[in-house]
Amino acid sequence: MTAAAPRPLVVVLGASGYLGTALTRELAVRDIRLRLVSRRPAAVPEGARAAVETVVADLTVPGQLAAAVEGADAVVHLAARISGATSWRGAGADPAVERVNVGLVHDLVRVLRENAVPDRRPAVLFAGTVASVGVPGKVRIDGSEPDDPRSAYPRQKLQAELALKAAGDEGLIRAVSLRMPTIFGPGPQDTAADRGVVVTMIRRALEGRRLELWDKTVRREMIHVTDVARAFAAALDHADALAGRHWPIGTGRSEPLGDMFTAIAAAVADHTGADPVPVVEVPPPGEAEATDLQGMEVDASAFTRITGWQPVADRSAALAALVAEVAVRTAPSRV
């Protein structure tokens, strides 16, 4: 009698983070081995079908990355550092940020090369950003645009992508990068850390402060974190067909930032019963970049044709749920 093949091992690096937590929930229902690697313990979803292993590690420490990905059939690289001593805008001036965002990818390639098994190419999925295209001269992007990042963080993301692509070209891995616009939605239950502009604006509105922006007409889109997690799961299933390039994913529906901020103010008002806070334009600061005033909308049709993935989250309901979550987490504790 032939022994059953072992279940595939999927390793998620950065599993306790914002996207990592959502992806863990998505993958835990599968009949796989799932190794969750992060700097703090990752939560294991209740009723998980997957055989889940949690590993607490600092991947910048020699040897810990190799142990984390040992035997992996697929690695989902979500570990990233957006802020350092200053902010994401100053990422290029902070060596610790580049060490995580670029250095870890080079380390991963080296580890996989040193432990390569003949006729076995693990899939490596990477979380990129649509900002790597810089200012493409059009609002709607589909992945065919030349890359021209205008700030340190998207430049680091692009450098990491190119390192993975080179490893794929040599036949070492199947490299897939998903590039995302603004992500919103619930995060890890043990942290109220800032999760981008949407949560920042929700907090301001909950405090009764006006929402400020530099240009109400600039178009942006946002995608729910559960839809992004589903996209990564779909990419795992179609890694062979996707390997070798980056794929922008999004809803395909952008709106002026003024409308987006107004929707946030309205959602907070519905939650609190107060009047919506005002949404006002203010002059951009000196550190504003060209990409801050560049509209962006994602055409994910190429990714959808291969994977069948489509975003399904209801924006209004998801925004209301996020407002309720942020309100609870930021409410003053009562003794």
Side-chain angles (χ1 to χ4, degrees):
M1 185 173 181
T2 304
R7 289 185 288 177
L9 172 60
V10 178
V11 177
V12 180
L13 305 179
S16 67
Y18 179 35
L19 178 53
T21 300
L23 181 59
T24 294
R25 289 194 296 265
E26 186 71 26
L27 296 180
V29 301
R30 298 187 170 200
D31 186 22
I32 60 175
R33 291 175 293 151
L34 183 58
R35 183 179 297 157
L36 307 177
V37 183
S38 50
R39 291 177 65 94
R40 65 176 186 272
V44 178
E46 293 185 6
R49 183 185 181 194
V52 183
E53 171 191 5
T54 60
V55 176
V56 176
D58 180 348
L59 299 178
T60 63
V61 174
Q64 295 201 13
L65 177 60
V69 301
E70 182 179 3
D73 297 288
V75 178
V76 185
H77 193 305
L78 306 179
R81 187 167 178 177
I82 296 177
S83 60
T86 53
S87 72
W88 67 269
R89 294 180 185 276
D94 190 335
V97 174
E98 186 166 6
R99 173 69 185 94
V100 172
N101 294 342
V102 182
L104 279 185
V105 171
H106 286 287
D107 291 348
L108 177 61
V109 170
R110 175 182 53 77
V111 165
L112 294 178
R113 181 180 290 110
E114 291 174 351
N115 297 279
V117 176
D119 301 321
R120 182 183 181 190
R121 292 191 305 148
V124 177
L125 273 57
F126 181 74
T129 172
V130 295
S132 288
V133 301
V135 184
K138 58 180 181 178
V139 172
R140 193 169 178 86
I141 64 169
D142 60 11
S144 63
E145 302 78 19
D147 290 318
D148 185 22
R150 301 298 180 91
S151 58
Y153 184 69
R155 190 175 301 118
Q156 290 167 359
K157 285 290 191 180
L158 178 58
Q159 290 171 353
E161 284 182 346
L162 293 175
L164 292 174
K165 184 179 183 299
D169 290 343
E170 71 176 80
L172 179 65
I173 61 175
R174 292 168 289 154
V176 181
S177 177
L178 302 188
R179 292 185 176 181
M180 297 154 288
T182 299
I183 304 175
F184 79 106
Q189 294 301 307
D190 61 347
T191 179
D194 186 3
R195 298 195 300 273
V197 65
V198 177
V199 169
T200 298
M201 292 301 110
I202 289 173
R203 285 178 173 159
R204 288 181 66 96
L206 285 169
E207 294 167 358
R209 301 159 62 193
R210 68 183 192 174
L211 306 187
E212 299 177 350
L213 70 169
W214 304 333
D215 187 336
K216 291 183 178 181
T217 67
V218 173
R219 301 189 70 87
R220 288 284 191 274
E221 74 167 275
M222 57 183 184
I223 184 170
H224 198 264
V225 67
T226 57
D227 281 331
V228 177
R230 290 176 48 253
F232 272 91
L236 280 173
D237 294 336
H238 298 83
D240 286 342
L242 297 171
R245 57 164 288 188
H246 62 263
W247 304 85
I249 61 169
T251 65
R253 300 182 299 275
S254 67
E255 61 183 323
L257 270 177
D259 293 352
M260 184 182 294
F261 280 31
T262 298
I264 292 171
V268 171
D270 287 343
H271 180 82
T272 63
D275 291 334
V277 298
V279 177
V280 299
E281 283 189 352
V282 297
E287 67 268 20
E289 299 165 350
T291 51
D292 292 321
L293 302 177
Q294 163 70 35
M296 188 73 73
E297 178 178 282
V298 175
D299 177 358
S301 57
F303 183 77
T304 296
R305 280 194 298 271
I306 292 175
T307 66
W309 171 88
Q310 290 185 343
V312 297
D314 179 272
R315 207 280 295 273
S316 296
L319 188 57
L322 182 58
V323 168
E325 176 203 323
V326 175
V328 169
R329 295 190 185 191
T330 57
S333 59
R334 298 178 181 176
V335 180

